[in-house]
Amino acid sequence: EIKEIADYEGYAVRYPVIGNEAMDAGIRQRAEDIVSVFKAEVTGCKTEKAVRMIMQADYESYKTKEELVSVKFDIHKELPLASAAGDSVETYTYNVSDGAEVALSDLLKEGFLDLLAEKTKSFAEGQTGKVIETAVAPELSNFKYYTWNEDALTLYFPGGSLVEGVNDILSFTV
């Protein structure tokens, strides 16, 4: 855990220790990156009046039969700058054998982007609000938040990135 608490400011980031030195170093670096982003946002929000600025991040981790570990950070921020406040998600997947971070494109076969785009569009159309068409295009950048578990791939979409007016994190499993 990385944490620092002061009168009106503070953060706490919990992260797993898997037992693979390279993977653990990568996960810790990701946790430190979350803290660095928050500190930069706090600097941008500073005023003469003391204002509550906090960030909490917790994690879930999943292991697959194929020796992958996915880590999902659920991040909650309270900041006076509305665009930086709220809930977000960060995800990372690692190979257990060497601890290296693995990209979605490393794991899926050719044509997977079309399938993910089709499934995402179907999911988005079932939500209340207008689908953001660029978010359902078959582009790797639209599927950067994902986790693997024993049975499936779960995709995550930050609030407002998939359906207009939906500010919650959306997710579905393929």
Side-chain angles (χ1 to χ4, degrees):
E1 180 175 52
I2 304 171
K3 72 178 178 180
E4 182 177 311
I5 308 295
D7 290 334
Y8 289 94
E9 298 173 18
Y11 57 84
V13 179
R14 291 190 48 212
Y15 60 92
V17 175
I18 306 298
N20 175 308
E21 191 174 314
M23 190 184 321
D24 290 341
I27 293 169
R28 178 166 176 82
Q29 182 59 56
R30 294 303 189 173
E32 290 172 354
D33 292 346
I34 291 168
V35 170
S36 295
V37 167
F38 175 72
K39 285 181 174 181
E41 291 168 340
V42 164
T43 300
C45 292
K46 291 263 185 192
T47 63
E48 291 181 21
K49 180 182 173 193
V51 179
R52 178 179 160 111
M53 294 186 273
I54 63 168
M55 187 261 302
Q56 296 172 293
D58 207 348
Y59 73 92
E60 294 176 16
S61 61
Y62 310 91
K63 188 169 189 253
T64 70
K65 294 175 192 165
E66 290 79 25
E67 297 299 310
L68 298 173
V69 171
S70 286
V71 178
K72 176 176 73 103
F73 288 100
D74 292 306
I75 305 165
H76 175 75
K77 297 178 187 175
E78 293 180 24
L79 292 164
L81 183 60
S83 63
D87 296 325
S88 62
V89 65
E90 295 283 337
T91 63
Y92 307 97
T93 297
Y94 300 89
N95 185 318
V96 172
S97 64
D98 62 6
E101 193 168 333
V102 180
L104 188 59
S105 59
D106 297 332
L107 302 170
L108 296 175
K109 296 178 182 175
E110 189 174 321
F112 76 91
L113 283 174
D114 292 329
L115 174 66
L116 292 181
E118 177 185 315
K119 299 263 185 202
T120 301
K121 185 170 185 169
S122 176
F123 169 76
E125 287 172 343
Q127 306 301 308
T128 303
K130 183 175 186 259
V131 175
I132 300 171
E133 291 300 323
T134 56
V136 296
E139 297 174 16
L140 198 54
S141 61
N142 288 333
F143 309 106
K144 63 183 175 180
Y145 303 110
Y146 66 92
T147 56
W148 288 99
N149 65 27
E150 285 290 329
D151 302 318
L153 169 70
T154 301
L155 298 171
Y156 302 89
F157 301 89
S161 68
L162 186 60
V163 179
E164 289 179 10
V166 177
N167 293 322
D168 295 331
I169 297 168
L170 296 174
S171 67
F172 74 98
T173 300
V174 179

